[in-house]
Amino acid sequence: MLTTNYVPGAPNWVDLATPDVDAAVAFYGPVFGWQFQSAGPDAGGYGMFTTDGKTVGAVGPMGEPGAAPAWTLYFNTPDADAAADAVTQAGGTVRAAPMDVFTAGRMAQFADPSGANFAVWQPGDTKGLDAVTDPNTLCWTELHTTDPAGAKAFYQSVFGWSSQDMPMGDFTYTVVCPVGGGQETSQGGIMGLVPEMAAGGSRWLPYFEVTDPDAVVARVTEHGGTVIAPAMDLEGVGRMAAFVDPAGAMFSVIKSVPAS
């Protein structure tokens, strides 16, 4: 499970790039109960999603020509420049070179060899999200990829993640953990593309914890989103659903089975 103990390689930020920030706020506000707080006049329209005064995500206008609306997951690093070198050496692509974000921290954005976008955050004043795993916050990260074996090798090289394969019927799900972590520190998974999620190719997908996935399905539909995987139970894991927001960004929700 995710925690705010942001060890190297752990997810510590998530943000949405969208063509219309106001429209995104109007959608995600009712869906998750989030409020929007601008990052200020020098932030180019970027701002924070908050709940109970805690930052749980962010949103900003799209800045990359030709990019599609999408959520981007950021992973903690002590050195964004070293991470960029590691990505290049492992066969990935640097989409945005390391840069300082005021005094908040230093970031860089990448694509892995299969084309899945991700980023790193080197903390400064901002260590990461204020809350995770609570209702309406980030709780899991999942890579849907055309090359699961290649992805395991790539991310192990870049972040030092350990992994464990878990057969699940017709496919294998790989659980990943930060360096030095055991199964109790699992933070995400890697799986091959499934037909209903294949459009657009490889991608990282954020999961947000919710108390009632079926109610979220109704709210997403009411506010113009699309249900691509209706609420369903996965034994021992939880009840989950997947969506595309009105602009085209994909995300998932889950009501997790309590840890035993």
Side-chain angles (χ1 to χ4, degrees):
M1 62 182 293
L2 302 191
T3 76
T4 53
N5 177 27
Y6 294 126
V7 299
N12 62 347
W13 196 256
V14 63
D15 64 16
L16 172 67
T18 186
D20 187 335
V21 170
D22 290 341
V25 170
F27 172 76
Y28 287 99
V31 168
F32 290 125
W34 291 344
Q35 293 79 47
F36 175 74
Q37 180 179 339
S38 171
D42 297 326
Y46 194 86
M48 313 305 168
F49 284 127
T50 67
T51 183
D52 296 327
K54 297 179 179 180
T55 298
V56 296
V59 59
M62 297 169 60
E64 187 176 358
W71 285 94
T72 298
L73 288 158
Y74 292 69
F75 299 94
N76 184 51
T77 181
D79 188 334
D81 296 83
D85 290 340
V87 165
T88 301
Q89 292 169 9
T93 302
V94 177
R95 297 171 45 240
M99 60 174 288
D100 291 327
V101 183
F102 308 111
T103 61
R106 189 165 174 82
M107 61 161 283
Q109 296 185 332
F110 311 114
D112 72 18
S114 75
N117 293 337
F118 68 103
V120 294
W121 180 253
Q122 176 185 330
D125 294 341
T126 299
K127 306 306 179 187
L129 301 172
D130 292 332
V132 295
T133 309
D134 297 332
N136 302 312
T137 71
L138 183 70
C139 67
W140 191 249
T141 66
E142 191 169 85
L143 175 64
H144 295 215
T145 178
T146 56
D147 183 8
K152 284 194 294 182
F154 172 80
Y155 289 101
Q156 197 284 327
S157 176
V158 172
F159 292 121
W161 290 347
S162 61
S163 63
Q164 179 179 349
D165 290 340
M166 302 177 64
M168 299 184 73
D170 295 334
F171 68 96
T172 297
Y173 192 89
T174 300
V175 175
V176 296
C177 304
V179 61
Q183 189 68 25
E184 69 279 1
T185 65
S186 58
Q187 63 188 33
I190 297 173
M191 62 181 289
L193 286 174
V194 295
E196 61 268 28
M197 310 285 275
S202 300
R203 71 171 61 78
W204 277 98
L205 188 70
Y207 278 73
F208 299 100
E209 185 71 30
V210 296
T211 57
D212 188 343
D214 297 86
V216 175
V217 167
R219 293 196 296 270
V220 165
T221 302
E222 177 185 355
H223 292 280
T226 301
V227 179
I228 56 174
M232 61 173 286
D233 294 314
L234 185 60
E235 185 177 358
V237 177
R239 187 166 178 81
M240 61 190 70
F243 313 98
V244 174
D245 74 15
M250 190 178 296
F251 66 100
S252 289
V253 300
I254 184 170
K255 180 180 181 181
S256 302
V257 171
S260 57

